[in-house]
Each structure stands twice: as C-alpha cells, then as structure tokens.
Amino acid sequence: MPESKPEIIFLNRAYNDLDIQLPLIDKIAQDGSFHVRVIGYPCDGDMGSPRLHEAVPYLKDRYDISFETVLDRAPAPVAMRVAYRLEQFLFALKRKKLNQFKPAQLALKVLHVGVLTYMRHHFRGDIRWLDQMCATWKAQAIIMDEACVQKNRSYMIDHILPQKVEQGAKLYAIQTGQMVYLDVAPNKSATALEQLNRVRRESRSLTHRFIVPSALDQEAVNYNFPLESPEVHGNLRMDMGWIRKLHRDILVPPYSAKKDEFDQRPEGSLRVVFMLSKLSYGVELEEIRKTIAAVCNIEGISCAIKPHTRGMKFDFMTESEISGAAIVYSVPSAELIEWADMVLFTGSGIAFHALAVGKRVGFLKNCQNLETVFDNGNACDLFNSSEEIVEFLKEWQKSGEPDLSDEIKNERRQWQAKHLYADVEDGKTVDHYYKMITSDLMS
C-alpha cells in the first residue's frame, strides 16, 4: 500500500481570504508532494465556503485538491448540515432574476437571514463535534489568515488550533489584503475600535510565521498585535505568474462564464470601472457621489461600479444619477479590470491588481479623507477633484490615452517592486512563499 502524502490544510473563513491563498494552493498542488485540503470553517458566526470561488473549478480539474467545509459530513449535526445547504441555496437564489421581483426579494431575505441566525446561534460556545472532526487531521502545516491571532472569534481558533500545534503542525498566518491607509486603525467605528483595543490587550498566537505583504502592514501589526512578530514577504495575491494564469486560463470559459449583468453593460468608446471601498474607511460621501455622477454622465463613457466585496450595498445613488452605469456585485474584480480602460478607486487594495496588469489607474484623492500610500502620485494617476478626472477622460476620448514619461513609468515600477513585492525578484512572491514554507517543514 503506497504511503500517504503529508497534508497541508488551508483554513478559509471568507472569499477574500481565499483570494490570497489560491496562488500558494496552486503552487503546492503543482508540486504534488502534499495532499492539499481547503476547508471552510465558522468564524464570527459565518461559514467559509471555499467552493464558491470562481477559480475552484479550474484547480479541481487539474489537481487532487479537496475543497470542503466542516459542515459537509458527520460528525457535524444533521440539522446544521441541512441548514448550511439551505443557506447556500438561498444565497444563490438571491442572485438570480427572481430577486428582481420585490415580494420574492423580501421573502428570500427574511428566510436567508433566519437560516443564518440559526447557524450563528449554533456556532457559539463549545462545538464538541468539531473536536471529533478535526481529530482526524494530520496536517504538517495549517495556513490561514490573520484571524488566527485574535481570540474569541472562533472555536476553531481558540480550541482546535492549539491542539494541532501541540501535535506538531506549523501554523501560518498570511494576512488578507494589504494596507493602503497610513492610519493603522482606518475604520473609526466605535465597534471596530473597541475590538481593536481588546485584541491589542489579549493577542498572543501560536503562529510559526505571521506573514504580511509590506512594511506598512508590519507597522500596523506591530501596533494592533504588539505580541506578534510579523514578517514582510510581499503580496502573495499579486504574484505576476498567478495573475497571468488568472486572466489567461481561469477567468475564461469553461471555468468562468460571463455574468448576465456584465454582458449587458453599456458599450462606449472608453470603459471606466469604479472599485469602491467601504464608506467607513474615510470616504467623502458627497464627493464620491459627485465624481461618480460626473464620470457616468460623460457622453461616450461605458461605466461599471463594483461595490466592496465584503457586503457593501450601492444604495447611496439613484439610477438616474449614474446614467445607465452597470452596478456589478458578482463579476470577479479581475474580470472587470480586464474589461476596463481605466480603474478609479478611493482606497481599495484591488487597485494593486490593476497596477500589476498594467492598467491605467486613478486614485480619487478628493473622495478620501485618510492619508494613503497613493497620495504622492508615485503609484498611479492622482485626481484632486471631479473636474480633473472629467477633463482627463475627455482628453483621452479626444486625443488617445495621455502619455507617461519614461521617468514616471520607472517611478511606478519601483513603487510596485517596493510596496507589492517587498523587492522579491521579478515579483515571484509565490515561489518565495513556497520555498520558505517547504523549507520550514523539512527543518
């Protein structure tokens, strides 16, 4: 009987976390030396559902990777397994045409919230069946996001992970996202600040490595989690090889079908996409409304608006104000970036992706009241008013894309090497992470 491969488990609590993990999952699976499992688990009352990511069909078609959740089978209680499947069904149904019919929309929302409430209630306190399930895990490494250094967010984090580390597994925290704000606590809501202060007092993790993409993230972690020792190793998601694969092989048929709402987007001579960040992160509401309206009403502009992927609703402007622009929730950001001639943003880290693929990117400084890494204009075009961006786009329509000097192009290349790749050679962050982790496991 052939000897089984050593196991590496990626724990997933949210879509955005899997965005970061996927390049490394792909790399380890290519090696073939490990059995790779990607497991959704409950955190903050919600369930990770890794199978929902648009890149999963491609990876499953090529590698022996298990995409699963802790609610797929026994010993998870039957009632919880049924509730989870119902929640996933309702979630998918909400995105279909039926959702446009108001009475059906309300009924679906009430039913979906009811199922989620039931699940969240049963994710509180001790989850003994999870102990039984995870007892079978034989992972050499467990890789997840920074939630693992924060207590009281999940039974998995507080009770299961310490057991696995004691049994010999190495625990890796790879930060989700990348800081763009110079303020280490950009979300000024009372709840967020209360949570931050609690975490700063209590945080002490069992991580073998806590990995962050940039020096600014390291500074933020040193402040927010003073007992941790963050290491800077570049942005894993922005690996150039992975980005090329994403656009060339994954976000194309048969693995990714164009969504109806995106197919029906208005056509025009110049295509612009707004990548919105949460309003609580320093966004000037009246300025962003004014800027979106001004751009959408330029004759000959095709405009798409992408709300932030963590539950943001675009409900602060009317259809008449955005003049036929497509509001796209479910279209992958990478696909939108590929479509666009120009990407406009206020603070979202998705701008890094647009920069990495060579798109023209504009930072709407007039709409952002927090200091950011984009303020000096070394990374991308910078606009201080809605009038500036309108003038820029009209000039583009009239005379073609505005030129950049060789000096500016070189400044932007250097900025990306420093801020996105921590000066990792040729932006090959995946190779760097892979060699580091596999070397750890052999030591």
Side-chain angles (χ1 to χ4, degrees), residues 12 31 37 60 126 229 351 364 403:
N12 173 242
D31 174 276
R37 298 176 67 185
K60 288 184 69 174
D126 292 346
S229 301
L364 302 173
D403 289 332

Side-chain angles (χ1 to χ4, degrees), residues 80 128 137 145 154 159 192 245 284 355 361 393 432-433:
M80 285 295 286
R128 295 302 182 189
W137 294 0
D145 70 293
S154 171
H159 299 278
K245 178 180 288 189
E284 297 282 1
L355 290 169
V361 179
L393 292 172
H432 175 68
Y433 276 64

Side-chain angles (χ1 to χ4, degrees), residues 133-239:
M133 173 172 287
C134 298
T136 63
W137 294 0
K138 305 298 182 184
Q140 285 195 357
I142 297 175
I143 302 171
M144 60 186 301
D145 70 293
E146 68 274 18
C148 69
V149 307
Q150 302 174 38
K151 295 180 180 178
N152 303 317
R153 294 185 64 180
S154 171
Y155 187 85
M156 175 72 74
I157 294 168
D158 294 343
H159 299 278
I160 305 295
L161 292 183
Q163 296 173 25
K164 294 302 162 186
V165 171
E166 186 176 348
Q167 292 166 11
K170 286 184 167 63
L171 177 62
Y172 292 85
I174 300 178
Q175 179 178 293
T176 294
Q178 180 170 341
M179 284 285 291
V180 299
Y181 307 100
L182 302 189
D183 188 336
V184 294
N187 188 343
K188 297 301 184 184
S189 72
T191 301
L193 288 176
E194 180 183 351
Q195 181 183 14
L196 172 62
N197 288 331
R198 175 178 57 77
V199 167
R200 292 184 74 243
R201 290 193 303 269
E202 297 180 357
S203 179
R204 182 186 298 275
S205 77
L206 299 171
T207 53
H208 184 70
R209 293 182 190 269
F210 186 160
I211 305 172
V212 298
S214 73
L216 179 58
D217 293 278
Q218 186 180 49
E219 180 183 338
V221 171
N222 285 335
Y223 175 81
N224 295 332
F225 309 100
L227 301 178
E228 303 298 332
S229 301
E231 304 175 18
V232 179
H233 292 289
N235 192 315
L236 183 58
R237 182 184 180 185
M238 294 302 125
D239 176 84

Side-chain angles (χ1 to χ4, degrees), residues 260-398:
D260 289 343
E261 59 185 320
F262 194 44
D263 286 339
Q264 295 168 9
R265 67 194 181 278
E267 292 297 333
S269 59
L270 191 61
R271 295 169 293 187
V272 177
V273 61
F274 283 90
M275 295 290 188
L276 301 182
S277 50
K278 289 184 177 181
L279 299 181
S280 59
Y281 281 74
V283 175
E284 297 282 1
L285 180 58
E286 289 308 311
E287 276 296 315
I288 192 66
R289 290 182 60 183
K290 179 181 176 183
T291 301
I292 290 173
V295 172
C296 289
N297 284 280
I298 300 174
E299 186 177 352
I301 289 282
S302 288
C303 190
I305 301 169
K306 172 78 169 181
H308 192 276
T309 54
R310 285 192 187 261
M312 181 184 185
K313 295 293 184 184
F314 187 79
D315 56 5
F316 54 88
M317 296 184 73
T318 65
E319 290 185 13
S320 61
E321 288 178 299
I322 61 176
S323 188
I327 303 171
V328 285
Y329 289 100
S330 59
V331 179
S333 296
E335 193 173 304
L336 281 169
I337 289 169
E338 187 174 301
W339 169 78
D341 295 307
M342 184 161 203
V343 176
L344 299 175
F345 74 105
T346 56
S348 173
I350 193 60
F352 296 135
H353 187 122
L355 290 169
V357 298
K359 287 289 180 174
R360 201 68 183 253
V361 179
F363 173 55
L364 302 173
K365 188 174 181 181
N366 61 305
C367 302
Q368 176 57 255
N369 62 32
L370 295 177
E371 289 185 281
T372 76
V373 295
F374 305 105
D375 285 5
N376 58 17
N378 290 341
C380 59
D381 296 309
L382 186 148
F383 300 101
N384 292 293
S385 68
S386 58
E387 290 78 16
E388 278 188 19
I389 181 61
V390 168
E391 182 181 352
F392 179 92
L393 292 172
K394 285 185 174 180
E395 181 61 29
W396 189 335
Q397 287 180 310
K398 178 182 176 181

